[in-house]
Amino acid sequence: MNKPLVVIFTAIVLDAVGIGLIFPILPSLLSNVTHGGNVAAYIGVMTALYAVMQFIFSPVLGALSDRIGRRPVLLVSLAGAAVNYLMLAFASNLWMLLLGRAIAGLTSANMSVATAYITDISPEDQRARRFGLFNAMFGLGFIVGPVLGGVLGDYWLRLPFIAAALLNGCNLLLAFFVLPESRAPGTKKVDLAALNPLRPLRWVLSEKRLLPVTLMFFILSSTGEAYGTCWALWGNDAFQWNGLWIGLSLGTFGICQTLAQAFLPGPAVKLLGERGAIVTGIAGACLALTVMAFAGQGWMIFAIMPIFALGGIGTPALQSLATRQVEEHQQGQFQGVLASAVSLATIVGPLGFSSLYLLVRAQWPGAIWLSVVVVYVAALPVVLGLRLKAPKPEFAC
C-alpha cells in the first residue's frame, strides 16, 4: 500500500475513534461540568450539534478541496481535530464542550475530502477495493474508540481526549511530511448554490416513487442514533456499568455488527430477497431490543449481541434495492439525496431519543429500547410498500 493511502486510512480510523471515544464517558463528563445528574438532554444536544456541523460543512470542505486542493483542507481538518480534543480535555464549562463538539463535527466533515482523495489516486479497477478498505478502517476505529474511551476514562475522565489529541497531532505531522497533493487546484469559482446541504432533497420530493426508499434510510439511520445517544446512560442506570464495561459492550456490538455486515447481507438477499432481508434485519433488532428493555443482568446484553447485530443486514439490502430505483445517469444524484436523509437523521434522532430517555429514565430506563421497537414496527408498512425493480438481465457474449 502506498504512503498517501496509509495517511488517509489513518485519518479515517482516527475520525471513527474520535466518534466512538466520547460515548462511554460523555455522561460522566457532562455531570462533572454541569454539576447535574440528569444529562440526557445535553447528550442529545451535543450529538445533534456534531451532526449539524458535519451536515453543513461536508459539501463546503468538498468544494473547497476542489478549488484549492485536497492536501491543505486535510491538514487544516487534522489540526482542527487535535485542537478540538484538547478543548474537550480541559473544558470547565458547558459552552466549551459545545464549542469542542462543533469543531469536531466540522473537522469530521473531512471524510468527503478523504473520499475525493482516494478517487484521485486510484485507478477505476482499484476503487471498489479501496473504498471497501475505507469502510473497514472506519469500522475498526469505531470498535477501538469506545473501548479506549472506557479504559482511559476510568483512570482519568479527561485522559481519552488527551490521547486522541496526541494521535491526531502525530497524524498531522505524518500528513504534513508524507502526504502529497492529489490534484491540481481548480480554476472554476465555487458554485455557492451547490453548497446548500438541503438541495438534493428538492429533487426527491418531485419524484414521489423515491420517497419510500428515502424515508427508510431516514428511519434506519434515526433508530441507529438511539444507541450512541442512550447506551452509556442506560448501561449505568440499569447495570451500574463503569466506562470500561460501557466501552466493552459498544466494542462487542461493533465487532458483531462488522462481521454481520461483512458476511451475511449477500446470502440473506440471495435467500430472502432484498425486502425479506430488510424485514429479517428489523425482526432481529426488535427481538434484541425487547430483551434489552427487560434485561435484569448485564451478561444478557452480551449474550444477545449476535441477534442484535443481525439487524445490520437490513441497511446493505436497502442500499442494494435503492440502486435499482433510478437509472444509471441518476445514481450520483440519488446517492446525494440518501446521504442528505442520513445526515438529517443524525440530527433529529439524538434530540428525539435523548428527550424520550429523560422522560422514562426514573421509572424504567429500558423503555427507551421499546420506543425504538415501536419505530421499527411503524416502518414495516413502508418496507412492504417498497417498489421492487428486477435487476437487469446479464447476457453472455
Side-chain angles (χ1 to χ4, degrees):
M1 187 182 296
N2 58 44
K3 290 181 181 179
L5 277 178
V6 171
V7 176
I8 291 296
F9 286 148
T10 303
I12 293 165
V13 170
L14 290 178
D15 273 342
V17 167
I19 294 171
L21 186 81
I22 198 171
F23 288 153
I25 58 174
L26 186 56
S28 299
L29 181 62
L30 282 167
S31 295
N32 180 269
V33 170
T34 63
H35 308 291
N38 208 341
V39 296
Y42 294 128
I43 291 176
V45 170
M46 287 189 69
T47 308
L49 178 61
Y50 179 97
V52 167
M53 297 299 288
Q54 191 177 52
F55 179 58
I56 293 172
F57 283 98
S58 283
V60 173
L61 292 188
L64 192 61
S65 74
D66 287 337
R67 176 69 170 159
I68 67 173
R70 317 288 189 215
R71 185 175 185 272
V73 176
L74 284 169
L75 290 177
V76 170
S77 295
L78 291 171
V83 171
N84 150 64
Y85 286 119
L86 285 176
M87 286 189 63
L88 291 174
F90 298 104
S92 57
N93 297 293
L94 181 61
W95 71 264
M96 294 179 68
L97 287 179
L98 293 174
L99 179 59
R101 286 310 281 170
I103 296 174
L106 192 159
T107 56
S108 74
N110 67 15
M111 297 292 279
S112 60
V113 183
T115 302
Y117 192 102
I118 293 174
T119 303
D120 292 340
I121 66 173
S122 301
E124 286 192 18
D125 61 342
Q126 294 186 33
R127 286 178 185 171
R129 182 176 68 85
R130 289 182 176 180
F131 282 125
L133 286 172
F134 180 103
N135 292 327
M137 292 300 103
F138 191 87
L140 174 64
F142 197 75
I143 292 168
V144 172
V147 178
L148 181 65
V151 172
L152 296 180
D154 280 345
Y155 282 97
W156 180 35
L157 197 55
R158 312 294 179 125
L159 187 57
F161 301 110
I162 294 176
L166 290 174
L167 288 172
N168 274 278
C170 292
N171 197 28
L172 173 62
L173 291 175
L174 181 65
F176 183 80
F177 289 109
V178 176
L179 190 70
E181 180 55 69
S182 63
R183 55 165 284 144
T187 56
K188 291 183 178 180
K189 291 184 178 180
V190 176
D191 180 8
L192 296 180
L195 301 182
N196 180 0
L198 294 173
R199 189 181 185 186
L201 294 177
R202 295 178 184 174
W203 173 61
V204 80
L205 291 175
S206 66
E207 297 281 347
K208 304 298 184 185
R209 61 191 174 83
L210 301 178
L211 284 176
V213 172
T214 307
L215 180 59
M216 277 309 302
F217 268 87
F218 178 84
I219 291 172
L220 292 182
S221 299
S222 296
T223 53
E225 291 300 313
Y227 312 132
T229 304
C230 303
W231 191 284
L233 286 168
W234 163 77
N236 182 264
D237 291 338
F239 310 116
Q240 291 72 55
W241 279 348
N242 60 12
L244 172 61
W245 281 104
I246 292 169
L248 286 175
S249 63
L250 284 169
T252 302
F253 175 72
I255 292 171
C256 292
Q257 183 90 332
T258 299
L259 291 173
Q261 291 201 345
F263 297 109
L264 295 183
V269 170
K270 193 171 183 179
L271 180 65
L272 304 170
E274 288 153 340
R275 181 186 286 161
I278 296 170
V279 172
T280 301
I282 289 176
C286 287
L287 175 60
L289 288 164
T290 302
V291 172
M292 289 168 61
F294 292 97
Q297 298 182 35
W299 66 264
M300 299 173 68
I301 309 307
F302 288 88
I304 204 70
M305 284 293 183
I307 296 177
F308 197 2
L310 184 65
I313 70 173
T315 299
L318 182 63
Q319 289 171 326
S320 175
L321 188 149
T323 61
R324 300 207 309 275
Q325 302 302 301
V326 296
E327 300 300 327
E328 289 298 324
H329 69 279
Q330 294 178 312
Q331 286 293 336
Q333 187 177 13
F334 189 40
Q335 293 303 319
V337 167
L338 298 181
S340 293
V342 170
S343 296
L344 285 175
T346 61
I347 297 169
V348 174
L351 292 175
F353 285 112
S354 64
S355 299
L356 187 57
Y357 190 79
L358 193 63
L359 295 176
V360 304
R361 183 181 189 184
Q363 290 76 30
W364 181 17
I368 190 65
W369 307 127
L370 291 184
S371 73
V372 181
V373 172
V374 170
V375 175
Y376 275 133
V377 172
L380 281 176
V382 181
V383 176
L384 298 177
L386 290 175
R387 188 173 70 98
L388 299 181
K389 187 177 179 182
K392 294 179 180 180
E394 296 182 4
F395 297 99
C397 295

